Amino acid sequence: MVTAHVDQQLAQLRTALPWATHLGTTVADICETYPANTGFTRRTWTPVMCTRTGTAYLAFDGDFREHLAQLDTTLATAGWKPKQGPGDPPGLVADFDRMHPVDGPPDKATMQYTPPIPSVFVIPHDNGAYPLGPHATVEVVQAPLLPRIDDGTAEHDRTLEYPTVTPTHFVDWQPYSHAQLSTAYPAHGAILAISVRLPYNT
């Protein structure tokens, strides 16, 4: 159900953005557990917590700010709720305007969202205490920038570097490298990254 929902969210948005060319999709489905005690007692572990992150990369041309406005409309129609600070206007256009003054370099916009989830989906808890919810990020950059969105690669690299710290199992791992992303330029003028992260219990 988690896999189907993440894939559906990304597919729905890709269909709603006919002006953007799909470049590739990453998948990072990771399950982890942590030591629950320290000292000389018999080691125990926290319940296994899993997170599936799907990220779609698309390229487009044309007026950058105009496409941000179209993205804002598309995301709102899909039920994505922006996460912004008190008093901040929501949306990618607002982030773009806030971060880049009129005479500054208009190069990117980023916004965090709460994507919709099915009503039957049970929100898991971190170690049985703190509820974890769905999370999404949209990042749009102009050439020659590349998105710096967390698509699961950082967690994967950390696990390879410190394999004994946290027992980690990759249920699914399909990366899409920055080298692959960079081939979008100069044929296109901008890259859009849409990431959906959904935690679940095993």
Side-chain angles (χ1 to χ4, degrees):
M1 180 169 141
V2 172
T3 298
H5 181 67
V6 171
D7 291 348
Q8 179 187 24
Q9 288 284 303
L10 295 177
Q12 178 184 359
L13 292 176
R14 283 175 52 191
T15 301
L17 304 172
W19 41 267
T21 301
H22 182 240
L23 299 174
T25 302
T26 70
V27 173
D29 201 339
I30 305 170
C31 293
E32 296 179 309
T33 181
Y34 300 88
N37 61 341
T38 58
F40 298 101
T41 60
R42 184 173 179 271
R43 172 161 289 189
T44 59
W45 300 88
T46 62
V48 175
M49 173 62 64
C50 301
T51 303
R52 185 174 184 87
T53 303
T55 305
Y57 294 96
L58 304 97
F60 64 91
D61 298 290
D63 186 276
F64 190 74
R65 192 178 186 279
E66 180 179 326
H67 282 311
L68 293 182
Q70 293 172 337
L71 268 169
D72 280 340
T73 299
T74 298
L75 293 166
T77 301
W80 288 40
K81 307 296 184 184
K83 298 178 181 179
Q84 74 278 350
D88 290 339
L92 292 161
V93 170
D95 180 73
F96 179 79
D97 292 343
R98 181 172 59 252
M99 300 300 294
H100 305 284
V102 175
D103 58 347
D107 52 12
K108 68 176 181 177
T110 306
M111 182 63 59
Q112 310 292 321
Y113 294 87
T114 300
I117 59 173
S119 58
V120 295
F121 185 80
V122 178
I123 297 177
H125 287 70
D126 181 11
N127 298 333
Y130 301 101
L132 301 172
H135 179 78
T137 305
V138 176
E139 183 179 2
V140 195
V141 299
Q142 293 191 90
L145 297 181
L146 295 176
R148 301 182 65 181
I149 200 167
D150 181 10
D151 61 3
T153 301
E155 180 67 18
H156 178 265
D157 293 347
R158 182 190 66 80
T159 301
L160 294 180
E161 186 175 0
Y162 306 104
T164 61
V165 174
T166 303
T168 302
H169 173 66
F170 286 84
V171 180
D172 197 356
W173 171 240
Q174 301 173 33
Y176 192 79
S177 70
H178 271 195
Q180 291 172 292
L181 270 179
S182 65
T183 61
Y185 302 139
H188 300 282
I191 294 177
L192 159 65
I194 305 172
S195 183
V196 180
R197 187 182 72 209
L198 197 60
Y200 65 96
N201 287 325
T202 55

